[in-house]
Amino acid sequence: METLAPGQAIPFGGDRVAHVSEPLAKAFQTGDRLVVVQETGDLLHVPAVIQSLAADAVGRAHGAFQALGATSDQAITDFFRAFAANLADDTIWSAISDANATDVASAQTRGRSTTRLAVSEVMRRDMIAGLEVWRVAPASRGRVLERVEHPGWSVEQTAAPLGVVGFIFEGRPNVFADATGVLRTGNTVVFRIGSDALGTARAIVEHALEPALKAAGLPEGAAALVDSPAHAAGWAMFSDPRLALAVARGSGPAVAQLGAIARQAGTPVSLHGTGGAWIVADPSADAERFKRAVYHSLDRKVCNTLNVCAIVRERASDLVPAFLEALRAAGERRQGVKLHVVEGGESLLPASWRAARLMVARAEGPREEDQVEILAREDLGREWEWEETPELSLVIVDSVEEAVALFNRYSPQFAASLIAQDAQAHERFYAAINAPFVGDGFTRWVDGQFALDRPELGLSNWEHGRLFARGGVLSGDGVFAVRARVRQTDPDLDRNPDTARPL
């Protein structure tokens, strides 16, 4: 394809047509690529230079994967030790921190969120701790998963490296360290980070990552950065069929689009396009436990932060006040609380809440808004992306069964908690709720390092269906393939022994 014309029809999805816009036609040059998202009809322009940049990074990671097979597990251990030591070095960290300060300042001038962008000593310690986990983790290449004995022969199922893992994450420098966890199992990794954090990423690569790779003797390209701020770099990267697994961190339409691109390239995907956790209060709920679960689920905004709370109508008289008390405490911890109430439930709120105005800390700056707004029931799937002002939805339901039905219909099918004293209610909830993460308290436990003592590479919801033979937490030691190895002791083993003759 050399040119595109305004209005040109582009078939997609087998029975639909998208049309080329005038800006797209004007920008498209010979050698560029057009990625047609088959689920949505989005027409994505990938300039040739960006395509080349992404292909080069994936190619280097692919070449490194071939070479890594001949590299010892001790060298991989040495890499994690060196990477952690570099991050612990104050001089190196100062260079990274300076680059990050520039990124943060730039993001703030553009009204961008910086809650996950700014590095801190806590983030530094977590990155180092995560690398230490992989340093001491047992090498798993060749680990025997199963052995089947037969007369005269046996079969071993063994863990084997999977290939090149592609990571895309927006403005979260700490994920850089987490993502290298795939090297523990003999895989290689290629990254693309959002433009807000690209300067920080470059500093990490220059001062900490590449020196560690070199010191450990790992092949060049084993952890490669796609050094481009353009979204097209991510589209090109996830279109590359040489990826063995595509991981997109974050949530929202952009992440969902990346997942669709990878799927149509035939690459397995780990992502959740939309985040947001639910808490459901059962008729048997203990009000104090419910209040604490709500409060502790609103400490900061990430994918597993409480997004929707459902309260059964028969307990609204005492659980709604408990809910509002938790919100008041959460607001004192941050900067106020913004509440969206599904229409019909607003009458259960005090007049003081319905009439209140507050300053909401938005990414673009503080803005005065109503504290309570009415929400349509079909908008319960909306994830509230807040900065310093916790924001969530409340729905009053006739039963837990109705709450489960709403969750299964409107939510991203991610994380759900039931607050109930009735043990049978928990069993019914677990059986009916379509979520990979189900709890009985706060929602913020959904985290690989917090819950499983392993840095997570990504979390998956069931928005696009359940995952084959694995859980929703993707970790470095979970990225592997399975090889079969036969050991034959009977040289006359034959599939048709009745017709075989001795040799």
Side-chain angles (χ1 to χ4, degrees):
M1 184 181 294
E2 297 183 348
T3 62
L4 291 173
Q8 181 177 342
I10 306 291
F12 74 96
D15 59 355
R16 289 166 285 171
V17 176
H19 294 88
V20 175
S21 68
E22 190 163 335
L24 173 58
K26 187 176 180 180
F28 195 88
Q29 303 291 319
T30 300
D32 293 353
R33 290 190 66 203
L34 181 69
V35 176
V36 183
V37 182
Q38 296 299 317
E39 291 183 10
T40 61
D42 293 339
L43 304 180
L44 307 177
H45 175 211
V46 181
V49 64
I50 300 296
Q51 175 64 35
S52 176
L53 196 66
D56 176 68
V58 176
R60 287 189 290 122
H62 190 259
F65 175 70
Q66 306 299 326
L68 201 57
T71 304
S72 70
D73 288 323
Q74 182 58 50
I76 295 174
T77 298
D78 292 342
F79 158 72
F80 288 114
R81 178 186 292 109
F83 194 5
N86 289 344
L87 292 179
D89 184 294
D90 288 340
T91 301
I92 291 175
W93 185 255
S94 178
I96 294 169
S97 185
D98 289 347
N100 181 255
T102 302
D103 279 344
V104 170
S106 173
Q108 288 172 335
T109 60
R110 290 177 285 120
R112 302 275 293 175
S113 172
T114 60
T115 55
R116 304 177 198 178
L117 172 59
V119 300
S120 64
E121 281 302 313
V122 172
M123 182 184 290
R124 180 189 186 185
R125 286 198 299 270
D126 287 346
M127 292 169 73
I128 293 170
L131 293 169
E132 286 294 323
V133 168
W134 297 125
R135 183 183 68 81
V136 301
S140 61
R141 291 188 294 183
R143 175 168 55 97
V144 177
L145 305 172
E146 179 185 18
R147 178 181 288 108
V148 180
E149 298 286 350
H150 302 275
W153 64 295
S154 64
V155 183
E156 291 180 347
Q157 300 265 61
T158 62
L162 181 67
V164 180
V165 181
F167 273 93
I168 294 180
F169 42 99
E170 299 295 329
R172 301 181 66 175
N174 57 313
V175 180
F176 224 92
D178 294 347
T180 59
V182 301
L183 271 70
R184 180 73 278 175
T185 41
N187 303 291
T188 57
V189 58
V190 57
F191 314 94
R192 191 262 167 186
I193 194 167
S195 57
D196 289 345
L198 186 56
T200 310
R202 286 170 176 156
I204 292 174
V205 170
E206 178 184 353
H207 299 291
L209 176 60
E210 289 196 341
L213 289 170
K214 188 174 181 179
L218 297 194
E220 190 275 333
L225 173 68
V226 178
D227 192 349
S228 170
H231 288 294
W235 305 335
M237 183 177 144
F238 271 21
S239 297
D240 196 316
R242 292 175 294 180
L243 293 186
L245 177 66
V247 182
R249 296 284 296 253
S251 60
V255 171
Q257 184 184 68
L258 286 167
I261 292 170
R263 281 192 294 272
Q264 68 190 38
T267 304
V269 173
S270 172
L271 82 166
H272 53 80
T274 309
W278 286 44
I279 285 180
V280 177
D282 182 75
S284 69
D286 176 85
E288 187 62 26
R289 182 181 178 90
F290 168 68
K291 182 174 69 176
R292 294 184 183 194
V294 170
Y295 172 74
H296 292 299
S297 299
L298 292 170
D299 61 313
R300 63 184 288 237
K301 175 54 194 162
V302 288
C303 63
N304 54 36
T305 300
L306 175 61
N307 196 64
V308 175
C309 183
I311 297 175
V312 289
R313 194 177 306 279
E314 67 182 271
R315 291 289 307 278
S317 61
D318 67 320
L319 292 185
V320 169
F323 173 71
L324 296 179
E325 190 176 338
L327 296 195
R328 270 192 291 269
E332 290 169 2
R333 189 180 190 180
R334 306 297 296 228
Q335 296 180 23
V337 168
K338 172 95 177 185
L339 182 61
H340 302 264
V341 182
V342 170
E343 47 197 353
E346 65 275 17
S347 62
L348 297 171
L349 300 178
S352 58
W353 273 77
R354 297 198 302 269
R357 301 273 292 172
L358 83 164
M359 295 300 295
V360 178
R362 300 290 183 195
E364 62 273 20
R367 198 169 69 190
E368 185 176 352
E369 301 178 12
D370 290 337
Q371 184 169 25
V372 176
E373 293 187 7
I374 304 302
L375 183 75
R377 179 165 293 230
E378 53 269 26
D379 289 336
L380 277 171
R382 180 170 175 180
E383 180 184 10
W384 304 107
E385 291 288 357
W386 50 269
E387 297 294 310
E388 292 298 329
T389 304
E391 190 167 4
L392 70 164
S393 300
L394 171 67
V395 58
I396 305 300
V397 294
D398 290 333
S399 64
V400 170
E401 288 72 20
E402 182 186 357
V404 169
L406 291 172
F407 179 94
N408 290 347
R409 179 174 182 181
Y410 294 117
S411 86
Q413 300 176 39
F414 179 46
S417 280
L418 178 72
I419 308 301
Q421 296 298 98
D422 180 354
Q424 290 303 312
H426 281 288
E427 295 306 312
R428 292 192 298 271
F429 185 76
Y430 185 79
I433 200 89
N434 195 46
F437 305 104
V438 181
D440 61 358
F442 84 143
T443 62
R444 291 273 288 111
W445 66 274
V446 182
D447 177 286
Q449 190 148 348
F450 184 75
L452 304 177
D453 294 330
R454 289 194 293 273
E456 72 183 31
L457 308 181
L459 292 171
S460 294
N461 62 13
W462 286 353
E463 191 173 7
H464 298 286
R466 300 189 180 201
L467 306 172
F468 176 66
R470 73 171 181 85
V473 176
L474 180 69
S475 194
D477 57 358
V479 181
F480 63 90
V482 178
R483 301 177 78 183
R485 187 173 192 175
V486 167
R487 299 182 189 278
Q488 185 176 333
T489 55
D490 178 3
D492 286 325
L493 190 65
D494 193 285
R495 296 298 301 275
N496 294 288
D498 293 341
T499 60
R501 66 182 179 85
L503 297 178

